Amino acid sequence: MTTPSTPSAAWRPGMPGSDNLPSGPGGRPAAPSGDGHGPQTGPPTVTIGSYPDYPSAQRVVDYLADNRFPVERTSIIGTDLTLVETIMGRLTTGRAALVGAGTGAWFGLFIGLLFGIFTAGNWVAVIVIGLVVGAIWGAVFGAVVHGMTGGRRDFTSSSSLRANQYAVTVEADLADQARQLLGRMHFPTTATSR
């Protein structure tokens, strides 16, 4: 038999009573650790340089690696992210069918190869039939899917994330060593600390 509990203030880190938390569908919950704001993020880090593009930041980390720096304690952090969608061209029902045929042909080739392995007779015919049937079904599927959009997306595109700045960070206890190595690199940096 359970005893009714009296209403009390919500539990906060440092308060006694973590052993009185009610069990839920997943079992008995554990009280939050630390300050109650989630898991620890690891050791403190220092930004040793900021770069306008990823290859520059990558070159810095590669230089550190070449000089036996423990790069597993290094991060490249992209900030000010922007989603860029590059339009590749107009998408018609015919082009959608063509793209679908290509995708279907690859799938049909895979299935044809799979069945061709176990065929005692003409395995080349099995592969060709798989490729042709896959291309036909892919074309039909591509055209139908494009037709179902009702003209709301009559273009093809490619999406990518880009950052305006890339910061190279290292754990605080290695910051001086990293800066000394970068001083020998003679590579322009915008050093900041965080």
Side-chain angles (χ1 to χ4, degrees):
M1 182 169 200
T2 59
T3 58
S5 62
T6 58
S8 62
W11 183 86
R12 292 186 315 274
M15 284 182 62
S18 64
D19 56 339
N20 295 332
L21 292 173
S23 62
R28 187 162 188 80
S33 62
D35 60 0
H37 295 292
Q40 296 294 328
T41 58
T45 59
V46 173
T47 301
I48 58 169
S50 295
Y51 306 92
D53 56 13
Y54 182 78
S56 299
Q58 184 180 6
R59 195 172 333 141
V60 167
V61 174
D62 188 49
Y63 178 81
L64 292 173
D66 291 344
N67 286 281
R68 307 280 186 243
F69 185 83
V71 290
E72 64 275 3
R73 297 173 66 184
T74 307
S75 299
I76 298 175
I77 301 171
T79 56
D80 246 350
L81 294 178
T82 305
L83 175 66
V84 178
E85 186 173 7
T86 305
I87 308 303
M88 309 299 281
R90 187 166 189 267
L91 184 64
T92 61
T93 303
R95 187 164 179 195
L98 188 63
V99 170
T103 305
W106 278 109
F107 184 71
L109 179 65
F110 172 72
I111 297 298
L113 285 171
L114 194 62
F115 281 120
I117 291 172
F118 301 108
T119 301
N122 189 357
W123 59 273
V124 175
V126 173
I127 292 172
V128 170
I129 289 171
L131 190 133
V132 170
V133 170
I136 291 170
W137 277 108
V140 169
F141 186 73
V144 168
V145 168
H146 179 263
M148 289 174 61
T149 63
R152 287 186 302 272
R153 189 168 170 90
D154 284 340
F155 60 90
T156 59
S157 64
S158 171
S159 296
S160 63
L161 279 176
R162 295 186 189 159
N164 286 338
Q165 189 173 15
Y166 295 88
V168 177
T169 64
V170 298
E171 292 180 10
D173 58 331
L174 295 173
D176 290 336
Q177 180 185 354
R179 285 186 182 122
Q180 287 174 358
L181 286 171
L182 290 183
R184 289 186 265 157
M185 185 180 180
H186 303 295
F187 191 73
T189 65
T190 308
T192 56
S193 61
R194 86 179 182 143

